[in-house]
């Protein structure tokens, strides 16, 4: 469990725990993956928080990628003191794709990806992590 001080005007603190990822499903040129995390208001007043998921590409990639990329977020609203809520975020092919200029297509590489959850991209906020593996990469066109 990780406790975060509030940012902005929430005037409370939150903790995150139980971060899990489903096994990714690849079919028909798309990918589906579900992330779950429990958010608890550890402060003394009702507050809201924005849960963010960042994804790191496989370390085996031959290209240089940003170390972490924001790929999903969801607001937890009006959480009373001492209460918790488990939220679900969905990731798809956009969360693991990059544009490959040489072939003018989007690419999803095979390999092990790391997802981190927190309230910001600051390293001290991203203490919960889980990995998922894409067995067979693919390419796709369009948006």
């Amino acid at each position: 469990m990780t406790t975060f001080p509030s940012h902005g005007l929430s005037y409370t603190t939150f903790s995150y725990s139980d971060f899990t990822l489903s096994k990714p499903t690849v079919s028909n040129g798309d990918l589906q993956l579900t992330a779950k995390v429990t958010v608890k208001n550890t402060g003394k007043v009702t507050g809201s928080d924005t849960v963010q998921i960042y994804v790191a590409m496989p370390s085996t990639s031959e290209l240089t990628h940003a170390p972490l990329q924001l790929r999903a977020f969801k607001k937890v609203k009006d959480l009373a003191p001492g209460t918790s809520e488990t939220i679900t975020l969905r990731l798809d092919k956009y969360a693991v794709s990059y544009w490959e200029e040489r072939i003018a297509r989007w690419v999803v590489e095979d390999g092990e990806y790391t997802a981190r959850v927190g309230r910001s991209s600051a390293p001290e906020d991203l203490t919960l992590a889980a990995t998922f593996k894409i067995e067979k990469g693919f390419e796709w066109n369009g948006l």
Side-chain angles (χ1 to χ4, degrees):
M1 179 167 60
T2 303
T3 302
F4 301 109
S6 63
H7 293 287
L9 299 175
S10 66
Y11 301 109
T12 193
T13 56
F14 298 93
S15 66
Y16 291 8
S17 62
D18 305 322
F19 180 46
T20 61
L21 296 172
S22 67
K23 184 177 179 181
T25 303
V26 178
S27 66
N28 298 324
D30 200 3
L31 175 134
Q32 297 297 318
L33 175 68
T34 302
K36 291 186 179 186
V37 64
T38 301
V39 180
K40 181 176 183 180
N41 182 339
T42 56
K44 296 180 180 180
V45 297
T46 298
S48 300
D49 199 28
T50 302
V51 178
Q52 302 172 26
I53 294 184
Y54 293 83
V55 175
M57 299 301 248
S59 60
T60 55
S61 178
E62 294 179 12
L63 299 175
T64 301
H65 301 281
L68 292 172
Q69 301 173 49
L70 176 63
R71 294 304 192 198
F73 59 92
K74 187 170 186 176
K75 185 100 173 185
V76 177
K77 296 182 181 179
D78 302 325
L79 201 56
T83 62
S84 60
E85 181 178 336
T86 299
I87 63 164
T88 301
L89 297 103
R90 304 218 186 290
L91 300 169
D92 59 16
K93 66 183 176 186
Y94 296 94
V96 294
S97 296
Y98 63 89
W99 180 255
E100 177 53 76
E101 186 68 32
R102 293 176 294 171
I103 60 173
R105 294 175 63 92
W106 291 96
V107 174
V108 175
E109 291 186 29
D110 57 6
E112 188 170 273
Y113 292 73
T114 301
R116 298 187 180 279
V117 66
R119 59 189 339 251
S120 80
S121 63
E124 63 271 13
D125 285 350
L126 296 173
T127 59
L128 297 178
T131 60
F132 61 96
K133 188 170 187 173
I134 297 177
E135 298 292 338
K136 185 176 179 183
F138 59 94
E139 299 169 0
W140 57 281
N141 281 323
L143 296 174

